[in-house]
Amino acid sequence: MREEQFKSSSGEEAGVSMADILVLPDELQTIITCLMRGGEAGLPEVAAFIEQDEATTSTLLADLIARGFVQEVPAEGKGQPRYRTRLVSKRTRKLSFEL
């Protein structure tokens, strides 16, 4: 996925909130938990964390990437890519100065 797809209409970086994660199936929530704990992880680490084979884990990660929950980070050199969550920080409200 291209980075432009994750921009909001105001040009700010978009992502997902913790509330969005709560509606995911348990197996996908577990992957998000893994990535949140470590910051980012490779396929073998995620597969070990969720106790699945790498093929199944790759499919689940692809689903999370398609939904916008996870971002694939290219590896330096010829290593395997790493993955991280696309969580947004707490949104602040813009108040009018005319209160």
Side-chain angles (χ1 to χ4, degrees):
M1 283 196 163
R2 295 184 16 197
E3 198 66 29
E4 295 87 21
Q5 293 174 324
F6 295 105
K7 301 280 184 186
S8 67
S9 59
S10 63
E12 297 174 2
E13 185 77 14
V16 296
S17 69
M18 290 302 291
D20 297 326
I21 293 169
L22 294 175
V23 298
L24 289 173
D26 289 342
E27 60 189 357
L28 297 181
Q29 285 184 27
T30 304
I31 292 174
I32 296 291
T33 299
C34 172
L35 297 175
M36 288 175 62
R37 286 183 181 172
E40 65 179 48
L43 181 60
E45 293 92 357
V46 177
F49 187 86
I50 66 170
E51 300 176 347
Q52 292 285 338
D53 60 82
E54 289 188 13
T56 302
T57 304
S58 180
T59 301
L60 295 172
L61 282 165
D63 185 20
L64 286 168
I65 291 168
R67 293 178 187 219
F69 285 86
V70 171
Q71 174 182 17
E72 186 176 316
V73 181
E76 295 179 18
K78 294 185 178 183
Q80 290 187 341
R82 299 188 59 79
Y83 302 91
R84 72 176 117 185
T85 58
R86 296 189 49 81
L87 293 177
V88 292
S89 60
K90 185 177 178 182
R91 295 179 187 167
T92 58
R93 295 182 183 194
K94 295 179 181 178
L95 298 175
S96 170
F97 289 110
E98 299 176 16
L99 292 178

